[in-house]
Amino acid sequence: MTTILDVAAAIQRSTKLEPLTPRWEATLRAFYGLPLREVDVANLLAATKRSEPRIRALSDTRKAKKELWCRVGRRGRKSYTMALVAVFEAMFGGHERYLVPGERGLIAVISKDVAGSEIVARFCELHARALGLETNWTSMGSVRILQIEGSPFGIACFPCNAKAPRGSAVPVIVADELAHWATDSDEYVNSDDAVLGAVKPAQAQFPDSKLVAISSPLGTDGIHYETIEANLGDGAESEVLAVEGPTWEWNNDITEARTHEIEKDPETHAREFGARPSGNEGTAFVGADVMRSFEHRDGFYTWEKPFLVIDPGETMDTFAVAAFCWGKPSSQLRPRMLKLPGTDYEYTPDRDANGAIQYYPLETRKLLSIYRVEGWTGDVVRSLGMEVIVGQIAQVARELGIQQVVSDQRGAPYLSALFKPHHLRFRSFPWTMPRKHESVILLRALMRDGQLLIAEHTEMQRQLLRYKRRIVGGNFKYGTPRERDDFAALLVTLGMMELEERGTSTEDTHIPTGHNLINHQSTGRHVAAGR
């Protein structure tokens, strides 16, 4: 009998690459009821939370489990291992004897989108070729299928759609990144339980059918989280194996230290690399980092071209506006200057006890400065009218030498037409939930690394401290329901622009941090708007 370890060994002989790390090998040995070595027992003690006797009993029956549920950190070789399971089951799973004569079946690889499932299928293609098997791609409607020579089962790439897998014979379901599928069946047609509920009947004719669900974590709801929590430890169901662990325990090429270099934010690191699900609700920004972004700091920068960012509010009857620009740190040391007593304009270098001139430390990172923040309330906008408000925004732009305004897509054609007579270029960026999440991650990193400097503005500070992050339906959502968040939304729009346009601005003037440009006080006119 050919085992999955035999297939892995054949791939290794062909490619000279080890297809299974010790943690993955221990997991697959337990899943397929294969003998466990001492090193496997040690790995499973850490991954399953089971006692040693229960772990040793996993291989005693020599019977494979029905379901494998894994919660593994990013870059933990999840896709590579799912592909190995898919190829093994297609070629050596023994499911062909349950097909009707002439019938062909599918190994269903289901991801949040087709691109995700195709990543797994591409690894399947590499594994098959390493085994000396010919492959070709076909299609069934919109579904891409990898056909492997000699197998009656194709490996099909499905999005998480409750209708997609119907009508096919499916002995094995590979659920890729299941924790990131939609989770609320009352709100989402293609929720995790609806999709799995639709495809599982296709397994009915296969006594040895299997479900393999391997994912990095997200929040604390959904089938992936609930099933793993219920099956860690000795109380696990007899036909279910659940494992978990951080990236470095599953991928020996990545160290824990390296993951901390990549992701310095503790909460994000714990979720993405440490495989610990986030709470379903929290604040979007770290409070201490927000406060530090409003603190004055010394340094000298060459400032790039400035922009205005606007937030037109839900119904375009409120406006928040901010000016911003990037500063490139100067490579020249600058002396600290002290004002001479009894004078208004005369300065002298600051010196230490030995008479040596004291210098500002050299900065090494660029600085994003938000140096003017203004807002118009709904009542003001309605009384003045949109053309007058746009005229006032244009006046701010002229005062600051700004030629371009950026915004989200709300009312973009109308606003573009209003700004055109003022000779201001208008650009808009779509607000999508994934893009907002990327923007918040960028802003968190800028705050954490001291690269964001915001002029004093009490309301913006308050909103950033209270800006909420929720995990809903397998996605991150941001905002402060029933509260105003227009000034926080300004920064999110700015972050989306940076994601699109990083590295495109040009250097302009040389201004030290203490210059009026940075310390410009906002007007304090706040708007009552929200998303």
Side-chain angles (χ1 to χ4, degrees), residues 336-408:
R336 294 181 180 272
M337 303 298 290
L338 298 175
K339 190 169 70 170
L340 291 173
T343 67
D344 292 328
Y345 305 104
E346 295 184 34
Y347 291 81
T348 186
D350 185 17
R351 298 177 184 271
D352 64 16
N354 297 318
I357 295 177
Q358 300 296 291
Y359 292 90
Y360 290 107
L362 284 176
E363 296 289 340
T364 59
R365 293 172 172 168
K366 294 180 70 175
L367 182 70
L368 178 59
S369 171
I370 315 297
Y371 59 90
R372 183 160 175 177
V373 183
E374 301 198 21
W376 287 263
T377 65
D379 290 340
V380 171
V381 174
R382 284 188 290 271
S383 63
L384 294 179
M386 285 293 297
E387 292 187 4
V388 174
I389 295 298
V390 167
Q392 293 183 4
I393 295 173
Q395 178 60 34
V396 172
R398 284 191 292 271
E399 291 174 9
L400 300 176
I402 291 174
Q403 298 177 329
Q404 183 162 287
V405 179
V406 297
S407 177
D408 60 32

Side-chain angles (χ1 to χ4, degrees), residues 215-253:
S215 178
S216 57
L218 188 61
T220 56
D221 58 4
I223 289 178
H224 186 258
Y225 174 82
E226 293 165 1
T227 303
I228 287 180
E229 290 299 308
N231 289 282
L232 288 173
D234 289 342
E237 295 180 33
S238 60
E239 294 190 332
V240 176
L241 176 64
V243 294
E244 66 172 358
T247 300
W248 51 91
E249 292 181 357
W250 299 85
N251 186 341
N252 300 133
D253 295 328

Side-chain angles (χ1 to χ4, degrees), residues 69 108-113 117 156-168 170 172-186 188-203 211-213 223-224 473:
W69 294 77
V109 179
I110 309 175
S111 294
K112 189 167 186 176
D113 51 39
S117 55
C157 304
F158 291 108
C160 53
N161 187 304
K163 296 180 180 179
R166 291 181 181 270
S168 302
V170 179
V172 178
I173 301 168
V174 177
D176 174 40
E177 294 292 0
L178 178 57
H180 299 260
W181 299 7
T183 57
D184 187 349
S185 59
D186 293 330
Y188 299 94
V189 174
N190 296 317
S191 61
D192 51 5
D193 55 350
V195 174
L196 291 181
V199 71
K200 279 184 175 181
Q203 297 184 301
L211 168 63
V212 177
I223 289 178
H224 186 258

Side-chain angles (χ1 to χ4, degrees), residues 32 82-96 99 104-110 117 120-121 124 140 143-148 151-158 165 168-175 199 202-203 206 208-212:
Y32 282 103
M82 282 187 278
L84 177 63
V85 171
V87 170
F88 170 73
E89 291 291 342
M91 296 299 303
F92 308 107
H95 306 294
E96 63 278 358
L99 290 172
R104 295 187 63 85
L106 297 175
I107 306 296
V109 179
I110 309 175
S117 55
V120 178
C124 292
M140 183 176 64
V143 178
R144 294 269 288 160
I145 301 174
L146 177 69
Q147 300 286 359
I148 302 176
S151 174
F153 295 96
I155 297 173
C157 304
F158 291 108
S168 302
V170 179
V172 178
I173 301 168
V174 177
V199 71
Q203 297 184 301
F206 302 101
D208 299 323
S209 63
K210 294 178 179 64
L211 168 63
V212 177

Side-chain angles (χ1 to χ4, degrees), residues 294 373-374 455-462 487 522 524 526:
F294 286 86
V373 183
E374 301 198 21
E456 181 182 348
H457 195 277
T458 303
E459 181 62 13
M460 176 175 276
Q461 185 182 95
R462 187 191 74 84
F487 291 114
S522 59
H526 303 151

